[in-house]
Amino acid sequence: MNVLGFETSCDETAASVVKDGRIVLSNIVVSSLKEHRRYGGVIPEIASRRQMEFIHPVAVKALQEAGLTLGRIDALAVTNRPGLIGSLLVGISFARSLSFASNKPLVDVDHIKAHMYACFLASPQPTLPAVGLVVSGGHTSLYFIKNFKDFRILGETLDDAAGEAFDKVARILNLGYPGGPAIDRMAQKVKKTTLRFTCADLPGTLNFSFSGIKTAVLYHRQRYKEGKDYPPEEVAYAFQESVVAVLAAKSLEACRKLKTKTLLVGGGVAANSALRRHLQEAAREYGIEVYFPPPALCMDNAAMIAGLGFHYFSS
Ligand code: KG4
Ligand code: ZN
C-alpha cells in the first residue's frame, strides 16, 4: 500500500511516499528556515505564506521521485496536530482537497507520535511495546507505546522543550538559529570541563523542566565578562551534558517502570550526537535496545506521517 503523506506543522513543507509503512520511496522537505534566522525563531506568518507556495510543487516532486503517478497512491495522510495553526491549515486543506478530488481516503496523524514512528523507517526494526522519548523544538515527552494506535503519556516538560532550551542557549552564546546543531558541533571541541549546570530533576516523576538551566546559562554569561569566562565551547558542553543526562536517566527509568527493554527516540534533538552516544552506552549497560531514526528523519518530515498513517488503514 502506497501512502502519500504531508507535513506542514512548523517551518517545513514536506511530502513523502511510503510503501507499507516501511519503505520510503521519496522524502521531499523544503524549509523557510533561512527567512526566520534574523528573528531568532519561527515567524508563523512567514512560514504559512511560504507553505502556500511550496505545497503543490513539493507534492508533485514526492510523486516524481517515488516514480509513481497519483493513480498509484492508495491513501493520503496529513499532520493535523500539534503545530502552528496557519501552517497546519495549508497541509490539511491541500490534503483534504486532494482526497476529495481523487476519491482517496485520508487520515489525520499526530506529529509527536509520528516522530517516534520514524524509528520504524530504519533497520533494524524495533518491536512494540516500547517506551518512546520525543525531544523536539516544541515537545519533550515520554510515552508508553503499546501498539501504533495506543500511545500513553508518561511524563512531559513542565516548561521549555529540550530543543527550545538548545535554541535559547545558542542565542545566549550568539550561535544563531536553530541552536541545537550549533551547540552539538561546539561541544564536540571539548572533552571535559569543571563548569557545571544543573537540570531540575523532579524526583518521583517522569516530567522534565529545562527553563531553569537555560536561565542559569544566561546568568552565568551575564556575571562573567567575555574572555574571563569559560570559553563558549565549555558552556555549550556543560549545558548539553546536563540536558542529555536527565533525558537519558528519565528514559531508562521509564523503561524500568514499564518493564520494557525497547526505547524509541524521535524529534530534532534525537540527532544530537551526545544524546545518541550516552543513550547507546547506558542502554548497553541495562540490556535495553535503543532506536533512533536516521538523522534526516529526526527533523520534521512527511515520511513519518505517511508511515504511521499506513497503520490507521490496516486493521
Ligand atoms: O522535530 P523538529 O525538527 O521540529 C519540531 O517539531 O519542533 O526539532 C527541531 C529542534 C530545534 O529546537 C533544533 O535546535 C533541535 O531540534 N535540534 C537539535 C539538533 N538538531 C536539531 N538539538 C540538539 N542537537 C542537535 N544535533
Ligand atoms: Zn517535529
Side-chain angles (χ1 to χ4, degrees), residues 9-12 111-112 115 135-139 162-167 177-185 240 266-273 298-301 304:
S9 65
C10 192
D11 57 320
E12 285 87 3
H111 178 92
I112 301 303
H115 265 310
V135 267
S136 72
H139 293 83
E164 189 181 353
F166 269 94
D167 292 337
Y177 176 82
I183 290 194
D184 194 350
R185 277 193 302 276
Q240 181 174 272
V269 185
N272 183 269
S273 60
C298 288
M299 314 304 166
D300 290 349
N301 65 85
M304 64 185 192

Side-chain angles (χ1 to χ4, degrees), residues 93-228:
S93 310
F94 188 85
R96 286 194 184 163
S97 314
L98 190 59
S99 165
F100 183 70
S102 64
N103 203 22
K104 293 182 193 296
L106 167 70
V107 280
D108 293 336
V109 175
D110 181 301
H111 178 92
I112 301 303
K113 294 174 184 168
H115 265 310
M116 292 177 275
Y117 184 81
C119 293
F120 288 86
L121 298 173
S123 332
Q125 294 240 324
T127 50
L128 295 179
V131 162
L133 170 70
V134 185
V135 267
S136 72
H139 293 83
T140 301
S141 319
L142 277 165
Y143 285 84
F144 178 62
I145 311 168
K146 204 167 163 208
N147 58 55
F148 294 124
K149 290 174 188 157
D150 190 348
F151 291 68
R152 294 179 198 173
I153 187 124
L154 302 170
E156 61 191 333
T157 182
L158 302 183
D159 39 59
D160 290 357
E164 189 181 353
F166 269 94
D167 292 337
K168 287 177 176 167
V169 165
R171 195 169 180 170
I172 295 167
L173 297 176
N174 282 325
L175 298 180
Y177 176 82
I183 290 194
D184 194 350
R185 277 193 302 276
M186 260 212 149
Q188 284 173 33
K189 297 180 185 158
V190 178
K191 290 278 170 286
K192 63 176 180 187
T193 173
T194 50
L195 181 61
R196 294 273 177 276
F197 293 110
T198 315
C199 259
D201 186 29
L202 308 175
T205 77
L206 291 171
N207 292 329
F208 302 93
S209 167
F210 297 107
S211 77
I213 189 167
K214 167 202 70 188
T215 311
V217 175
L218 177 67
Y219 287 171
H220 174 86
R221 287 309 268 183
Q222 285 172 348
R223 267 199 307 273
Y224 296 93
K225 290 241 165 0
E226 195 78 48
K228 291 183 191 141

Side-chain angles (χ1 to χ4, degrees), residues 6 35 91 216 237:
F6 298 101
E35 291 175 70
Y237 176 88

